[in-house]
Amino acid sequence: METYLFKSKRLGFRNWTLNDLETLTEINNDDDVMEFFPSKPSKEDSKAFITRMQELFSKKGFCYFAVDLLDTKESIGFIGLSEQTYLDELGPFIDIGWRLKKSIWNKGYATEGAKACLEYGFEKIGLTTIYSVAPEVNVKSELIMKKIGMERIKTFEHPKLLNDNRLKNCILYQTSKS
């Protein structure tokens, strides 16, 4: 039985294990899931991601958490928090993000999970501000940002996507502890 760090009504949030590799690799190889990314991670990239998340959790108490459906224990992807450093004007900042398997889309899991992660970040970790970034063309992620109470701060050219005309123009959202 999984031990969850925290739960929402339908989701359990936990640290990663290598048992998550197959599910993450499957999610990362779905064309629809990866529509707004410049490339699809390999299985080795997915394994390295899991290791980075385990290390981030060990150091900071948060990561892009592995997420399970509580009723079936099915692993559905990740929702959580990660430190980013690619926006010079912000310095290191905490980003909330999600990547979920397509079979569970449009059921409110991303919104529910993101709200739970914001609460975790503000109440358990003591964060004061959390950001979210997505390419402008990713209107589904922007809708989730709005649903969880974030405010659009600006648009910018993502320094890691400058060679991708479709994805380089990104939006930055922010929310602060109330």
Side-chain angles (χ1 to χ4, degrees), residues 13-16 49 52-54 56-57 62-67 77-84 86 94-99 117 131:
F13 299 80
R14 59 181 174 78
N15 199 355
W16 294 85
F49 171 86
R52 276 195 321 277
M53 292 303 106
Q54 290 171 327
L56 180 62
F57 182 77
F62 60 82
C63 64
Y64 290 140
F65 298 105
V67 178
F78 67 79
I79 307 170
L81 307 165
S82 183
E83 188 171 64
Q84 302 294 339
Y86 55 79
I94 305 303
D95 169 72
I96 185 168
W98 43 84
R99 186 176 307 161
C117 287
Y131 296 88

Side-chain angles (χ1 to χ4, degrees), residues 35-98:
E35 177 182 3
F36 301 109
F37 291 87
S39 62
K40 291 190 269 186
S42 68
K43 188 171 189 173
E44 283 305 307
D45 294 332
S46 297
K47 186 176 181 181
F49 171 86
I50 289 172
T51 300
R52 276 195 321 277
M53 292 303 106
Q54 290 171 327
E55 290 170 357
L56 180 62
F57 182 77
S58 175
K59 290 178 186 168
K60 303 275 186 174
F62 60 82
C63 64
Y64 290 140
F65 298 105
V67 178
D68 298 336
L69 296 176
L70 289 174
D71 61 349
T72 64
K73 306 298 183 223
E74 176 188 3
S75 175
I76 61 168
F78 67 79
I79 307 170
L81 307 165
S82 183
E83 188 171 64
Q84 302 294 339
T85 58
Y86 55 79
L87 288 177
D88 290 341
E89 70 269 22
L90 291 180
F93 67 97
I94 305 303
D95 169 72
I96 185 168
W98 43 84

Side-chain angles (χ1 to χ4, degrees), residues 10 34-35 40 75 102 105 109 116 130 150 157 173:
R10 302 176 293 168
M34 299 306 292
E35 177 182 3
K40 291 190 269 186
S75 175
K102 187 178 175 186
W105 285 6
Y109 293 124
I130 298 173
M150 300 188 94
E157 287 191 350
Y173 273 69

Side-chain angles (χ1 to χ4, degrees), residues 157-169:
E157 287 191 350
H158 197 302
K160 293 184 177 182
L161 299 173
L162 294 176
N163 294 326
D164 191 319
N165 287 331
R166 185 176 72 92
L167 301 177
K168 72 179 179 181
N169 293 319

Side-chain angles (χ1 to χ4, degrees), residues 98 111 114-115 118 132 139-152 171 173-175:
W98 43 84
T111 301
K115 285 179 179 177
L118 288 177
S132 192
V139 295
K140 290 179 183 177
S141 279
E142 185 173 18
L143 182 60
I144 293 167
M145 293 173 196
K146 291 176 181 176
K147 285 180 178 179
I148 64 174
M150 300 188 94
E151 291 182 37
R152 187 173 177 152
I171 51 175
Y173 273 69
Q174 170 188 324
T175 188

